[in-house]
Amino acid sequence: MPLFRQEKQDLKSGQNQIMKKMILDKFNLEGKSALVTGCKRGIGFAMAEALAEAGADIIGVSATLELEGSKIEAAVSGLGKKFKAYQCDFSDRKSLYDFIRTVKSDIGVPDILVNNAGTVMRKPAAQHPDDYWDKVIEVNQNAQFILSREFGKEMIARGSGKIIFTASLLTFQGGITVPGYAASKGAIGQLTMALSNEWAGKGVQINAIAPGYISTNMTESLRQDPGRSKSILERIPAGRWGQPEDFKGPVVFLASEASDYMTGTVMVVDGGWMGR
């Protein structure tokens, strides 16, 4: 190979390495703080761990999260990042406001808010009781709006912030025997757009991630039902149930500078389900 051609290739390779470093720098969350709800297990655990891997300190909360010695604390601390644990029952409005006040007093307003905590209660619509409906709507919809409003208004004053919701395939579809869950996740899609319309011009990006069928505690009953599990797998082009780790890349992207021009969007992570 002629020398000048090799020199051009070496130069191009060097430029590509420089560009790659610049791009990867946009994903760096060093010096940032992230509040992740529902981080004790499953998708929330993976998201919190991923944000710490990218450099963020983590504020973790769930209804039953251990205040000391949790697995997520060990994972985050093992990465050399700070972790602060809280408990909050998101179905209890007083508990929610107490939690928000405590976080603001202890730490301040996080750079990143991940509204991941959620619940599902299954019963056919004709037999779906008020208490099922009320709890699911309170946890999955009302609490997430209040968290976003109370932290979001201070992100606006600061001029920067990232809010990420966990949506669902039922943001787009109706589901079976989960009317409250479907209604709440449809609302999350609308809330993502509504908040973005008002806050995107003020330095705050709001997006959502819609998981497909993921192997977590929430889908255990589906995975244990041979008929449902078979029909679900047959529709997923990727040919498998998703894993919590599949959400590490998407959440870091949406939490980082790399997604600064992306807002009001629901990112679907479903192995191709919605394409069928």
Side-chain angles (χ1 to χ4, degrees):
M1 178 183 294
L3 181 59
F4 73 90
R5 187 177 299 171
Q6 180 65 52
E7 288 174 345
K8 285 184 178 179
Q9 287 189 349
D10 290 342
L11 178 60
K12 184 177 180 181
S13 175
Q15 289 172 336
N16 286 342
Q17 289 177 1
I18 292 170
M19 285 296 292
K20 185 176 183 181
K21 289 178 182 176
M22 291 173 63
I23 291 168
L24 291 180
D25 283 345
K26 291 180 179 290
F27 292 83
N28 191 327
L29 299 177
E30 199 69 37
K32 302 289 187 181
S33 61
L35 169 55
V36 183
T37 71
C39 69
K40 184 175 179 177
R41 61 176 68 89
I43 292 172
F45 186 108
M47 287 178 166
E49 185 176 46
L51 294 168
E53 288 173 355
D57 294 318
I58 305 299
I59 306 155
V61 59
S62 73
T64 61
L65 180 65
E66 302 89 341
L67 296 180
E68 292 184 357
S70 67
K71 290 182 179 179
I72 186 58
E73 179 182 4
V76 171
S77 299
L79 293 164
K81 309 312 298 181
K82 297 176 183 176
F83 182 84
K84 177 66 175 175
Y86 294 91
Q87 288 183 352
C88 180
D89 178 359
F90 291 110
S91 69
D92 183 292
R93 193 70 63 90
K94 182 181 182 301
S95 176
L96 175 61
Y97 277 109
D98 287 346
F99 164 68
I100 292 168
R101 281 192 293 269
T102 301
V103 171
K104 287 184 177 181
S105 175
D106 290 350
I107 298 170
V109 177
D111 300 289
I112 302 151
L113 170 61
V114 181
N115 280 313
N116 171 73
T119 190
V120 62
M121 303 187 80
R122 301 178 187 277
K123 191 162 281 194
Q127 290 84 44
H128 208 81
D130 288 356
D131 58 330
Y132 276 30
W133 176 273
D134 291 344
K135 182 172 182 177
V136 171
I137 294 298
E138 191 65 29
V139 173
N140 292 7
Q141 179 180 327
N142 296 345
Q144 299 202 26
F145 171 69
I146 292 169
L147 284 164
S148 300
R149 183 191 64 205
E150 294 303 305
F151 288 115
K153 61 187 177 184
E154 298 194 36
M155 291 178 176
I156 291 169
R158 184 176 60 203
S160 66
K162 301 277 188 175
I163 298 176
I164 303 163
F165 292 98
T166 297
S168 169
L169 292 184
L170 299 197
T171 301
F172 313 102
Q173 300 175 327
I176 300 170
T177 73
V178 287
Y181 185 83
S184 69
K185 291 302 182 177
I188 288 302
Q190 294 300 114
L191 184 59
T192 298
M193 293 185 286
L195 296 182
S196 177
N197 289 343
E198 294 190 35
W199 298 353
K202 299 174 183 178
V204 182
Q205 291 85 47
I206 300 96
N207 292 288
I209 299 172
Y213 285 91
I214 312 302
S215 182
T216 66
N217 288 351
M218 193 174 285
T219 61
E220 185 173 0
S221 63
L222 295 177
R223 288 181 285 114
Q224 296 303 318
D225 181 327
R228 288 296 305 280
S229 182
K230 181 175 182 293
S231 67
I232 287 167
L233 282 173
E234 285 174 347
R235 176 168 166 167
I236 301 173
R240 66 174 177 87
W241 286 77
Q243 298 297 322
E245 290 73 18
D246 291 318
F247 296 86
K248 286 189 165 186
V251 76
V252 170
F253 169 62
L254 291 179
S256 73
E257 182 186 345
S259 64
D260 277 357
Y261 197 61
M262 185 171 179
T263 189
T265 296
V266 180
M267 177 189 289
V268 179
V269 182
D270 67 346
W273 172 279
M274 289 297 292
R276 290 293 286 268

